[in-house]
Each structure stands twice: as structure tokens, then as C-alpha cells.
């Protein structure tokens, strides 16, 4: 639960609400916020403020909206709030020329444009603002959003110190945190993997490796001293077990060495590990080297950098200028193709485990990026528990948070370099959205949940997405008085799992044995196609195995996340049309389920849901409900820049959908 603060800053009856620990840094008055429509430059006057948590615009006239209508509302940030971590790029307009702003300015702009990581675009006119106030607010925003930061200066720590967490968790409806040995034993028992694998506490207190969690699971015959040998590198770590006994494992590369003696030790060590996971009762092992035979982080970064530019639109003119070449720009970004490749790789691994009863060992340099992505997708497809809300949250906690995904570095929360973020986790959410979009009855959550979750990456209240490892989080959240310096882990260029210097180990150590485990590409394609076509040729069991369609037209743009702030991309005034379409889909699903119930129980047909309640106030909704609420201003639609609405009179959507991001937070 997010706590509100009694402290408020007031002026002209406009209130700035501050969270616990939040401090006002600078502000400017008589700022004109433009609405995102054409070149008419309509807008609202108000104050632009910057705190250590967010940039906020406080309009002088808050009566523009119909107070009788229920508004969409996020519990943490308002429609005109931008968290500092959500700022992507800042531009200034000088004599009608748009320039990127950074560092110390000699001249200050007459117009400020802010591009956000959630793809909102804000435009502020500063022509009528006092010169000194312009200097303070522009300099303050640039410094607090673009300058490198120390970990301990994140707002996360200020909020944790000031807020009191009195949230009571229901143990029967609880996300598994995987921070105790008991949690891992529970997961082993749930997946029936406890006969072949064991949870170990050898890294308790992070005395062996700061990269690994305190507790994890390894093959039962593997001696615990092997884990300590190379600080957890070269150890097959269990991810999940299938109903047929096959398992999904991951392994990180051994340290790079030049010394022949150490290389020989590594050879003997890996040989022992190989024998452990190859002999009975373990199934045949297929290795999947994600470092050299799959995507690179650079590909993901480059593709998303191009892709997001399609949605960061300053005005209608810019939108229509790109409309004629929009699909070619979309294709050239390769983002949808990367999604397709990820889903295809997950299906290939699923086929090995489900149809061929193979263990699959994922290999990656640090086993914390693509391993997290692919192992999570495989479990989403194979394990219906992961498609429940609690199961999905537990999956992210297990594979991403405890799996050591570097959220701090990949999201570039500290602005330690001028590179763009590498959105590996967002890529995962986009892949999950494809599944949810194609098979909505199979999931306990909706695309709106995924959209809210993606936004939470940039809200520095939830510690879930602001650390590189469990060790870093535990050290800094519980021992802040030590003021430990942040250690930046710089990954070397990827050169495959064993790296070039140790390529000969593959031949000497694994030799022909590994070649027998890895199918030829032709055979793999044949097995994949047969498995894929066979599954899609049968009625879908939403409580069993779930495969996505990956043919070209089936991989789509996640419209709710990427297009929600662009009025031209919506059906303007199409709330009734959009809602009716969803209603018809729902009624068709209800009818199908009712027929199955009738067949099974021969009972009377359940009463139909009342349509009017779903259509209430729908005439003002856009096709991107529930994010885009159309407002009328001078007979033109004005798109707000905020959020989520209660879908009924029960718990509001934000409360239900953002529960996950409170995981493990103080």
C-alpha cells in the first residue's frame, strides 16, 4: 500500500501532494502545458515543479474535467506527473529549432519537451515564465534526470525511511519470494522435482557468490563444495521440472583464464559436472547456448531504440508525416521479429522437454539476461500455475529478481553512462502480452496488468526493479548506514559460453558426446514444426500446455502500452464501439463455458450478464480503454496522460494490478 503524506505545498488552491520522504527542489510559475494536438498550441497554465521523486505540472484550472464522471487514477503518480526515472530525453526549442538538453546551459529554451520511457510526451512553454525561474526549473530537471547518481541517493531509500509499512499479507494469497530454503523446497515439491534436485544453503549470507541468491537448487548428486569451486560459475542451477521428469536448468560461464594449469582444472571440473547431470536418473541433456547462438543485448537495445521512436510523437503533424511509412519503419526496427525469435526459441525448448523428454541446459555468460527471459517463457507455456497472478509474480521473483537480472544497469536507473537502456524485462512482458492477447482465457490477469507492471519499472518506490542482485538489495536496504559504494559490473563482450580462449575445451571435454545431444538444425526444424502444427491442430486446453502463434501476422504491436498516448491511433469517441467489441468477445466466451457446464452437469443456463452496467459512461471512452479517457476541449479531443480506472465498484484497478510491485518492499 502506498502511504500518503500530510505534508502539502499549496498556492492558488492548487495542491502538490508529497509522498513520505519526498522533498520539493525547484518550481516555476506561469508555465503553459500544451495539449498533444496539431499545431494550435492549446494548453493550460500552471506551475511546473521538480521534487526528488518526480516532475509535476499543477494546472491553475482543475475544473476542466467533469467532476461527476469517475476518472482514471493511479495511486502513486498523477496524470501530469513524471517520475525522474521515467524521463528518457529532454529537448529544448530555441528559435523554432529542437535540440537535446544536457549538462550546463548557456542559453535557456523557450519551450521544454520531455520524452518519457512510458512513451508519454510533455511540452511546456516557458515564454511567460520569469527568467530566473526558467533557469532554476530547467537546470533542476536536467540535473536530477540526466546526471549520474549514486545508488544510495535514489528516492527509494528516502521513501523507505519515511514510510511505515503496515501491510498485512494473506499467507494463502501470497507471492513466493524465494528468499528462504522453505520457498525453494515448496517449489520443488510443487513441480515434483524433489526426487532429483535439492535446495542448498551453501551461499547463505552470500559468502560464496554475491551474484547468486542465498538459496537455490542443484542436481542432488552434485557436491556442495563444487558450488564454491568457481564461485557458482559452471554449476547447473535448476529452474523448473516438467510433469514427465525432464527439467530446465541454467549455467553461467567459468571465469576467463589464460593459465593452462587452471584450464585443465576447469576441464576436469566441467567433466565431473557433465557426468553428474548425464547419468540416470537424469534424462538426456540438450544444451542451448544463448550467448553465441541467439540474440545479443546489443540487438535488443538497437531494435527497441528504433521501435520506440514510432510512438514518441510531439504532435499530429509529426504523426501523419510518418504514417505513410509507418509499417516499413516498424519492420526495419526488428522489434517484432525479436519477439518472434524469443517465442520460437521457447517453443523449441518446450518441444524438447514435452515431446522428447529431454533436460535442457541454458548457457549464458552470467545466466542473468536471456536465461531469465527464455526460462520464464518456457514456464509460462508449460506450467498453468505461472499463468495465475500469484504464479506469475512468483515466477518473476524466482527467475528475474533472485535470478540476478541487473535491473539497475539494464534500466540505467543511475544514468552511469550515456547509453540507452537494454529492455530485456520489457521484451519478456511483450512476449507474455502476445500469449495473453492470443489466449486470454488461459490467464488470470489482463493486458492492463502487464501495462501497469511495465510502468512500475520506473517508479522508485518498489525495490523489486531497482537492484542488480539479491545481495545488493539486502545490503543496501537493510544496512544503509554502512553507505556501501555501488560496484558497477561491466560485462565483457559476449563470445559464447566457453569464450574463444577455451573453445578447445568443448572438443576435449565434451567431444562427440555433446554433438549427439544437439540435434542438427534440419532435424530440429522438423521436430519443431511437427510439434507446433500438432498442438495448434487440436482444441486448446487452457489449463495445460499453451503455445503461441508465431507466423508473421500473429505477432502484433502491444497497442495498449505503445499507442495509448496518441489520439490519432485511437478510435476517437469509440468507447461504445470498443466496449461493445469486448463485451461480445466476453459473451461468446461465457456462452462457450456455459455449454461445457451444461454438458457436464445438465444444469440450467446461468443468467446472462447485464450489458448496461458494462456500457455505463462508455460513450466518452476511447478504443484504448482503460488508459485513454477522451475529454472534450473546444470540440477537440484532449488526451490525458494518466492512467488506470476502477472497473466496477470493488477494489480499484491500480490496487489490484500493482500488488506485485510491492513485493519485498519496506
Amino acid at each position: 500500500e502506498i502511504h500518503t503524506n500530510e505534508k502539502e505545498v499549496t498556492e492558488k488552491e492548487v495542491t502538490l501532494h508529497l509522498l513520505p520522504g519526498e522533498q520539493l527542489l525547484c518550481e516555476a510559475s506561469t508555465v503553459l502545458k500544451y495539449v498533444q494536438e496539431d499545431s494550435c498550441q492549446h494548453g493550460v497554465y500552471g506551475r511546473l515543479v521538480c521534487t526528488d521523486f518526480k516532475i509535476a505540472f499543477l494546472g491553475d484550472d482543475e475544473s476542466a474535467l467533469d467532476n461527476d464522471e469517475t476518472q482514471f487514477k493511479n495511486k502513486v503518480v498523477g496524470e501530469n506527473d513524471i517520475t525522474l526515472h521515467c524521463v528518457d530525453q529532454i529537448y529544448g526549442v530555441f528559435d523554432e529549432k529542437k535540440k537535446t538538453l544536457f549538462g550546463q546551459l548557456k542559453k535557456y529554451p523557450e519551450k521544454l519537451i520531455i520524452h518519457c520511457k512510458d512513451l508519454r510526451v510533455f511540452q511546456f512553454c516557458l515564454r511567460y515564465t520569469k527568467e530566473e525561474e526558467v533557469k532554476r526549473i530547467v537546470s533542476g530537471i536536467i540535473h536530477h534526470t540526466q546526471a549520474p547518481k549514486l545508488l544510495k541517493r535514489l528516492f527509494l531509500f528516502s521513501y523507505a525511511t519515511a514510510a511505515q509499512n503496515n501491510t498485512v499479507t494473506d499467507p494463502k494469497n501470497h507471492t513466493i519470494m524465494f528468499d528462504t530454503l522453505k520457498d525453494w523446497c515448496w517449489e520443488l515439491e510443487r513441480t515434483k522435482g524433489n526426487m532429483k534436485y535439492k535446495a542448498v544453503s551453501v551461499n547463505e549470507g552470500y559468502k560464496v557468490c554475491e551474484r547468486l541468491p542465498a538459496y537455490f537448487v542443484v542436481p542432488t548428486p552434485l557436491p556442495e563444495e563444487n558450488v564454491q569451486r568457481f564461485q557458482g560459475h559452471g554449476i547447473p542451477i535448476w529452474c523448473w521440472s516438467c510433469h514427465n521428469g525432464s527439467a530446465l536448468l541454467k549455467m553461467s560461464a567459468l571465469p576467463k583464464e589464460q593459465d593452462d594449469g587452471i584450464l585443465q582444472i576447469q576441464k576436469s571440473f566441467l567433466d565431473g559436472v557433465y557426468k553428474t547431470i548425464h547419468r540416470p536418473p537424469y534424462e538426456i541433456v540438450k544444451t542451448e547456448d544463448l550467448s553465441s547462438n541467439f540474440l545479443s543485448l546489443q540487438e535488443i537495445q538497437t531494435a527497441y531504440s528504433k521501435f520506440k521512436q514510432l510512438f514518441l510523437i510531439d504532435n499530429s503533424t509529426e504523426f501523419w508525416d510518418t504514417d505513410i511509412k509507418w509499417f516499413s519503419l516498424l519492420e526495419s526496427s526488428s522489434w517484432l521479429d525479436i519477439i518472434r525469435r524469443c517465442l520460437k526459441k521457447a517453443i523449441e525448448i518446450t518441444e524438447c522437454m514435452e515431446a522428447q523428454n529431454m533436460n535442457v541446459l541454458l548457457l549464458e555468460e552470467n545466466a542473468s539476461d536471456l536465461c531469465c527471459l527464455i526460462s520464464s517463457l518456457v514456464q509460462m507455456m508449460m506450467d498453468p500455475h505461472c499463468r495465475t497472478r500469484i504464479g506469475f509474480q512468483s515466477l518473476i521473483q524466482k527467475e528475474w529478481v533472485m535470478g540476478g537480472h541487473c535491473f539497475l544497469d539494464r534500466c540505467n536507473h543511475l544514468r552511469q553512462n550515456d547509453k540507452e537502456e537494454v529492455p530485456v524485462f520489457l521484451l519478456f512482458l511483450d512476449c507474455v502480452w502476445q500469449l495473453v492477447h492470443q489466449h486470454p482465457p488461459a490467464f488470470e490477469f489482463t493486458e492492463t496488468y502487464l501495462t501497469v507492471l511495465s510502468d512500475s519499472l520506473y517508479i522508485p518506490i518498489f525495490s523489486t526493479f531497482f537492484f542488480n542482485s539479491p545481495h545488493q538489495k539486502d545490503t543496501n536496504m537493510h544496512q544503509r548506514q554502512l553507505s556501501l559504494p555501488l560496484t558497477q559490473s561491466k560485462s565483457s563482450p559476449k563470445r559464447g559460453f566457453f569464450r574463444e580462449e577455451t573453445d578447445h575445451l568443448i572438443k576435449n571435454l565434451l567431444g562427440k558426446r555433446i554433438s549427439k545431444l544437439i540435434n542438427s538444425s534440419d532435424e530440429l526444424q522438423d521436430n519443431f514444426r511437427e510439434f507446433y502444427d500438432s498442438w495448434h491442430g487440436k482444441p486448446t486446453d487452457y489449463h495445460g500446455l499453451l503455445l503461441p502463434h508465431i507466423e508473421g501476422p500473429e505477432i502484433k504491436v502491444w497497442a495498449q502500452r505503445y499507442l495509448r498516448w496518441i489520439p490519432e491511433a485511437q478510435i476517437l469517441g469509440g468507447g461504445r464501439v470498443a466496449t461493445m467489441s469486448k463485451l461480445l468477445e466476453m459473451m461468446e466466451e461465457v456462452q462457450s463455458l456455459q455449454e461445457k457446464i451444461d454438458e457436464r452437469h445438465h444444469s440450467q443456463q446461468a443468467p446472462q450478464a447485464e450489458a448496461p452496467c458494462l456500457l455505463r459512461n462508455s460513450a466518452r471512452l476511447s478504443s484504448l480503454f482503460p488508459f485513454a479517457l477522451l475529454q472534450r476541449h473546444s470540440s477537440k479531443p484532449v488526451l490525458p496522460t494518466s492512467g488506470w480506472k476502477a472497473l466496477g465498484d470493488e477494489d480499484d484497478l491500480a490496487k489490484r494490478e500493482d500488488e506485485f510491485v510491492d513485493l519485498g518492499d519496506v
Side-chain angles (χ1 to χ4, degrees):
E1 181 179 345
I2 303 302
H3 302 272
T4 58
N5 193 357
E6 294 181 356
K7 182 179 179 182
E8 298 177 346
V9 179
T10 61
E11 179 182 318
K12 297 182 181 179
E13 300 180 349
V14 179
T15 304
L16 170 64
H17 297 278
L18 300 177
L19 291 174
E22 185 178 4
Q23 296 182 352
L24 177 64
L25 300 176
C26 54
E27 63 179 295
S29 56
T30 324
V31 174
L32 178 64
K33 175 185 176 292
Y34 291 127
V35 296
Q36 191 184 34
E37 59 171 65
D38 206 21
S39 57
C40 297
Q41 303 299 302
H42 292 153
V44 178
Y45 282 100
R47 282 190 301 149
L48 184 62
V49 303
C50 180
T51 74
D52 55 354
F53 169 62
K54 65 179 180 287
I55 301 165
F57 177 78
L58 308 173
D60 292 340
D61 183 9
E62 293 187 328
S63 62
L65 298 178
D66 184 359
N67 294 326
D68 294 332
E69 182 174 339
T70 304
Q71 300 297 313
F72 301 162
K73 185 173 178 58
N74 180 277
K75 297 200 304 178
V76 184
V77 292
E79 69 176 65
N80 290 320
D81 293 345
I82 316 166
T83 64
L84 300 182
H85 293 279
C86 192
V87 174
D88 190 9
Q89 292 288 340
I90 300 177
Y91 301 94
V93 175
F94 303 84
D95 300 324
E96 304 302 323
K97 293 182 179 179
K98 179 178 169 183
K99 297 180 181 179
T100 305
L101 300 183
F102 54 87
Q104 295 290 332
L105 301 182
K106 295 181 179 179
K107 183 180 179 182
Y108 289 85
E110 58 196 40
K111 183 177 177 182
L112 191 66
I113 303 175
I114 300 178
H115 285 187
C116 303
K117 293 182 180 179
D118 62 4
L119 306 180
R120 289 181 293 170
V121 175
F122 287 85
Q123 302 186 53
F124 302 103
C125 175
L126 306 174
R127 291 173 184 165
Y128 314 108
T129 309
K130 294 179 181 179
E131 184 178 352
E132 286 304 314
E133 292 185 1
V134 170
K135 291 181 179 179
R136 280 199 299 270
I137 194 67
V138 173
S139 299
I141 289 175
I142 292 174
H143 174 74
H144 292 289
T145 60
Q146 305 293 309
K149 299 177 179 62
L150 295 175
L151 176 62
K152 62 183 180 180
R153 298 299 296 272
L154 293 182
F155 177 73
L156 176 72
F157 297 109
S158 300
Y159 179 82
T161 301
Q164 298 296 320
N165 189 356
N166 299 319
T167 304
V168 178
T169 303
D170 180 3
K172 296 181 180 179
N173 191 31
H174 175 53
T175 298
I176 306 301
M177 303 302 294
F178 294 99
D179 55 358
T180 65
L181 205 60
K182 182 180 178 181
D183 288 348
W184 287 101
C185 291
W186 180 87
E187 181 73 354
L188 276 172
E189 184 177 350
R190 185 186 72 82
T191 60
K192 306 297 188 293
N194 48 357
M195 299 299 293
K196 302 177 183 179
Y197 300 91
K198 63 181 179 181
V200 295
S201 58
V202 65
N203 197 39
E204 197 169 39
Y206 306 102
K207 55 182 178 285
V208 172
C209 176
E210 296 180 356
R211 177 181 54 84
L212 293 173
Y215 311 98
F216 50 91
V217 175
V218 297
T220 300
L222 190 73
E224 290 193 12
E225 55 267 23
N226 280 13
V227 179
Q228 306 177 40
R229 192 77 174 275
F230 293 105
Q231 295 185 324
H233 291 275
I235 295 296
I237 295 178
W238 176 86
C239 297
W240 181 78
S241 286
C242 182
H243 61 86
N244 60 15
S246 62
L248 184 62
L249 307 164
K250 63 182 178 182
M251 184 189 290
S252 59
L254 286 172
K256 182 178 178 180
E257 296 289 349
Q258 300 291 339
D259 185 89
D260 290 340
I262 297 180
L263 288 176
Q264 188 60 37
I265 294 174
Q266 290 182 345
K267 174 183 178 299
S268 301
F269 175 77
L270 288 174
D271 196 23
V273 169
Y274 166 77
K275 290 177 180 178
T276 296
I277 62 176
H278 184 63
R279 61 172 176 251
Y282 299 99
E283 293 75 10
I284 191 170
V285 179
K286 178 186 185 301
T287 59
E288 193 69 56
D289 188 348
L290 300 179
S291 289
S292 61
N293 299 328
F294 193 45
L295 290 168
S296 69
L297 296 181
Q298 183 62 52
E299 285 181 87
I300 296 172
Q301 182 189 63
T302 301
Y304 186 70
S305 180
K306 294 179 181 178
F307 177 72
K308 71 180 181 181
Q309 295 305 318
L310 294 171
F311 312 103
L312 289 167
I313 303 298
D314 287 354
N315 52 60
S316 295
T317 302
E318 184 177 333
F319 177 85
W320 293 115
D321 284 346
T322 61
D323 182 63
I324 193 171
K325 53 184 177 180
W326 198 87
F327 283 105
S328 61
L329 292 172
L330 175 64
E331 183 179 5
S332 64
S333 73
S334 299
W335 181 251
L336 295 187
D337 185 58
I338 285 177
I339 293 172
R340 180 182 296 106
R341 290 169 65 184
C342 291
L343 292 173
K344 185 173 186 292
K345 179 64 68 176
I347 296 173
E348 291 173 356
I349 293 172
T350 297
E351 187 272 333
C352 290
M353 298 177 66
E354 178 76 18
Q356 301 187 42
N357 203 31
M358 283 184 175
N359 284 338
V360 177
L361 179 63
L362 303 177
L363 310 176
E364 190 183 12
E365 185 171 355
N366 289 314
S368 60
D369 286 303
L370 299 175
C371 276
C372 300
L373 172 63
I374 298 302
S375 64
S376 297
L377 287 178
V378 169
Q379 292 173 66
M380 292 292 293
M381 294 179 188
M382 299 188 72
D383 190 347
H385 173 71
C386 296
R387 302 196 287 268
T388 66
R389 186 171 59 84
I390 295 300
F392 182 64
Q393 294 172 178
S394 299
L395 172 69
I396 293 177
Q397 184 68 23
K398 178 180 70 169
E399 295 298 332
W400 294 85
V401 179
M402 290 299 163
H405 180 65
C406 299
F407 285 103
L408 192 69
D409 291 345
R410 296 293 175 257
C411 297
N412 198 17
H413 286 315
L414 298 183
R415 298 278 184 174
Q416 291 298 315
N417 51 56
D418 57 359
K419 296 180 181 179
E420 296 188 49
E421 61 179 328
V422 186
V424 183
F425 185 70
L426 179 58
L427 174 59
F428 165 65
L429 293 182
D430 208 329
C431 290
V432 173
W433 179 84
Q434 304 292 333
L435 281 165
V436 172
H437 178 71
Q438 294 181 23
H439 305 289
F443 293 85
E444 195 182 87
F445 50 86
T446 66
E447 67 167 350
T448 302
Y449 172 84
L450 295 175
T451 303
V452 174
L453 187 57
S454 71
D455 290 342
S456 301
L457 280 169
Y458 312 113
I459 300 179
I461 287 177
F462 314 117
S463 63
T464 308
F465 304 126
F466 276 80
F467 293 98
N468 283 335
S469 66
H471 168 263
Q472 188 184 56
K473 176 181 176 179
D474 290 348
T475 301
N476 286 280
M477 292 302 290
H478 300 306
Q479 300 181 23
R480 292 192 301 277
Q481 67 275 15
L482 297 178
S483 299
L484 295 178
L486 174 65
T487 54
Q488 294 292 332
S489 56
K490 297 184 178 179
S491 301
S492 58
K494 306 242 174 175
R495 300 181 181 177
F497 176 64
F498 289 97
R499 300 185 177 87
E500 294 175 356
E501 289 76 11
T502 54
D503 276 348
H504 66 280
L505 284 182
I506 298 178
K507 300 176 182 178
N508 296 336
L509 169 60
L510 304 180
K512 295 181 179 179
R513 292 179 294 183
I514 277 291
S515 65
K516 293 180 181 179
L517 302 183
I518 304 178
N519 295 326
S520 68
S521 58
D522 292 340
E523 183 180 351
L524 181 62
Q525 281 300 111
D526 291 341
N527 290 337
F528 167 82
R529 178 51 62 180
E530 181 181 353
F531 178 72
Y532 179 83
D533 290 342
S534 174
W535 188 88
H536 283 290
K538 301 174 183 177
T540 303
D541 176 11
Y542 293 121
H543 299 286
L545 180 67
L546 193 72
L547 300 184
H549 289 280
I550 58 172
E551 293 81 6
E554 300 295 340
I555 305 298
K556 302 181 183 299
V557 172
W558 182 0
Q560 189 191 70
R561 184 182 195 276
Y562 300 121
L563 293 168
R564 55 186 159 155
W565 314 123
I566 305 177
E568 295 79 10
Q570 302 169 33
I571 303 175
L572 301 181
R576 187 174 295 276
V577 175
T579 306
M580 182 59 74
S581 175
K582 289 293 183 183
L583 178 62
L584 291 174
E585 291 178 13
M586 188 184 306
M587 290 176 65
E588 183 178 3
E589 183 182 342
V590 169
Q591 184 177 0
S592 175
L593 293 173
Q594 187 63 56
E595 290 173 356
K596 293 180 180 179
I597 293 175
D598 290 342
E599 291 175 2
R600 193 171 291 183
H601 301 289
H602 304 285
S603 61
Q604 291 184 347
Q605 185 175 0
Q608 295 291 329
E610 293 184 7
C613 66
L614 288 174
L615 295 174
R616 180 183 56 195
N617 292 333
S618 64
R620 291 173 63 81
L621 303 181
S622 80
S623 56
L624 289 184
F625 174 84
F627 283 92
L629 171 64
L630 290 176
Q631 303 171 31
R632 300 295 174 182
H633 177 71
S634 300
S635 74
K636 288 192 175 184
V638 178
L639 184 69
T641 51
S642 75
W644 12 111
K645 183 183 190 299
L647 299 178
D649 297 325
E650 302 175 355
D651 295 337
D652 63 276
L653 177 63
K655 180 178 180 181
R656 286 183 282 129
E657 299 290 344
D658 72 0
E659 284 182 1
F660 166 69
V661 290
D662 289 323
L663 302 181
D665 295 306
V666 293

